[in-house]
Amino acid sequence: MSCVEQLRKIVSRVLTDEPMAGHTTLGVGGPADYFVEVADCDELCLLMKYIASAGLPWMALGDGANILVSDRGIRGVVIHLGEGFERIAVDGNVITAGSAARISRVADVAAKHALSGLEGAGTVPGSVGGAIVMNAGTHRGYIDEMIESVCVVTESGEKRTLSREQCGFAYRDSRFVGDKSLIITTATFALRPGDGKAIEEHLESVRRHRSETQPQGKSAGCFFKNPPNASAGELIEQAGGKGLREGGAEVSPIHANFIINTGSATASDLRNLAERVRAMVRAKHGIELEYEVRLVGEW
Ligand code: EPU
């Protein structure tokens, strides 16, 4: 039986040579050999067992909000978690959310239940799973501060629960960045009771700050991590990077840490421009910017 036939026996939706441009907020990226959508955790376990037995490369995809996929695309299987992973349940001060749920939706549910703690992380684009991998957040707080535990499926198809400590959180980092053997399925947040109206206003003010200081359109959010005690956007602006272009890629004139697709960019345009910006910051400030966006696929 062929690989596609095997995959179709396990999961309902299997696409071949699926262009990744439609699955990323940057709107670029070549084809994935196999793009599969998984309905629930049991299906995911079966899928991982098959992938392991067939020795196929794989990667999990959240909202595609923080990745730059190469123009040549991705070899192997891209696993997208479907609606079954979008549930959000509230029990007292604890919220359990599927990893495919939008983190901003979880924050809104928390606010409705007068639960505080997600005002910082709950304003960034992306899914719960993606936000955990990247330890997403803003100056007002990061997602790891509220995590109680994270449920995963391993690459051998077993379910496991990790404590917050086992997740290895740091600034814009977690064990899931380096340890590619785990797929996040749900997360549990231990929140604090608060004043619902004040929480909603807080969320609103963080969202307003974002919309006033960050560009709309096709981007992956901030391209680089902030170096210790510095702002990557400010360093890039001081080095003269604002407004620079390469093909269809542009350093946003609004916020210099956003490298945007003006419509016709390729992944290579975006990467080449990012490298030019890094070189400018190195020359001007002697600082090596680190990518926050994850580069995936065949470069
Ligand atoms: N600045 C400039 N020029 C620029 C951009 C920023 O001079 O082009 C200056 C600002 O004036 C400000 C300072 O740099 O004094 C910090 O800027 P900002 O408040 O925009 O915050 P940031 O450090 O650039 C971080 C997160 C964002 C998050 C904002 C809002 C990182 C890498 N970025 O940006 O997260 O939205 O705070 O709190 O930590 C993302 O998740 O993708 C993201 C963009």
Side-chain angles (χ1 to χ4, degrees):
M1 208 187 291
S2 75
C3 190
V4 181
E5 286 166 335
Q6 293 273 15
L7 287 168
R8 291 213 165 108
K9 271 177 61 187
I10 303 167
V11 290
S12 44
R13 191 155 179 247
V14 180
L15 305 171
T16 54
D17 294 324
E18 172 66 5
M20 289 299 294
H23 299 284
T24 64
T25 56
L26 269 170
V28 299
D33 291 345
Y34 308 106
F35 184 93
V36 306
E37 195 164 287
V38 179
D40 58 33
C41 212
D42 292 330
E43 207 172 272
L44 181 59
C45 290
L46 287 176
L47 175 68
M48 295 318 288
K49 286 191 169 118
Y50 167 67
I51 286 176
S53 71
L56 290 167
W58 61 272
M59 69 164 269
L61 175 75
D63 258 7
N66 207 44
I67 57 172
L68 173 58
V69 180
S70 67
D71 295 315
R72 291 165 68 195
I74 303 174
R75 306 290 70 83
V77 187
V78 172
I79 303 167
H80 188 246
L81 304 183
E83 276 176 31
F85 294 88
E86 287 180 20
R87 287 189 203 105
I88 301 172
V90 185
D91 182 7
N93 296 345
V94 173
I95 292 190
T96 301
S99 65
R102 290 263 159 92
I103 185 63
S104 59
R105 203 159 70 80
V106 183
D108 287 337
V109 170
K112 253 193 202 80
H113 287 79
L115 293 173
S116 173
L118 287 176
E119 293 86 330
T123 59
V124 301
S127 63
V128 167
I132 290 172
V133 173
M134 297 309 301
N135 192 9
T138 68
H139 300 297
R140 311 250 196 131
Y142 288 84
I143 199 166
D144 67 306
E145 291 156 25
M146 295 298 137
I147 291 280
E148 188 172 74
S149 60
V150 172
C151 293
V152 298
V153 166
T154 68
E155 62 184 346
S156 50
E158 311 298 333
K159 295 177 191 171
R160 278 180 62 195
T161 302
L162 306 180
S163 67
R164 178 175 183 275
E165 291 67 37
Q166 289 174 308
C167 294
F169 288 115
Y171 168 69
R172 301 273 155 173
D173 196 24
S174 74
R175 85 178 268 176
F176 307 105
V177 172
D179 180 353
K180 307 276 190 218
S181 69
L182 307 172
I183 299 184
I184 299 168
T185 54
T186 54
T188 301
F189 301 93
L191 303 172
R192 295 181 299 267
D195 171 349
K197 192 91 200 104
I199 297 165
E200 269 173 26
E201 279 169 15
H202 193 154
L203 271 173
E204 190 41 47
S205 84
V206 181
R207 284 174 181 155
R208 201 176 322 115
H209 174 77
R210 284 183 75 94
S211 68
E212 284 168 3
T213 60
Q214 299 178 3
Q216 306 302 310
K218 292 181 181 174
S219 86
C222 285
F223 222 86
F224 300 105
K225 297 181 185 182
N226 281 341
N229 307 315
S231 156
E234 196 168 5
L235 298 176
I236 296 167
E237 179 169 355
Q238 287 166 353
K242 246 184 186 177
L244 223 59
R245 290 184 82 122
E246 178 98 23
E250 183 185 48
V251 177
S252 167
I254 299 170
H255 191 302
N257 199 9
F258 281 66
I259 299 185
I260 55 180
N261 174 4
T262 60
S264 57
T266 61
S268 298
D269 290 342
L270 290 154
R271 188 176 182 184
N272 292 341
L273 185 53
E275 284 302 324
R276 268 172 72 193
V277 162
R278 285 179 91 199
M280 289 168 82
V281 169
R282 195 182 303 127
K284 167 92 182 168
H285 303 284
I287 293 175
E288 196 65 48
L289 289 179
E290 252 184 73
Y291 283 96
E292 175 184 319
V293 165
R294 287 170 71 195
L295 272 60
V296 300
E298 272 191 321
W299 284 94

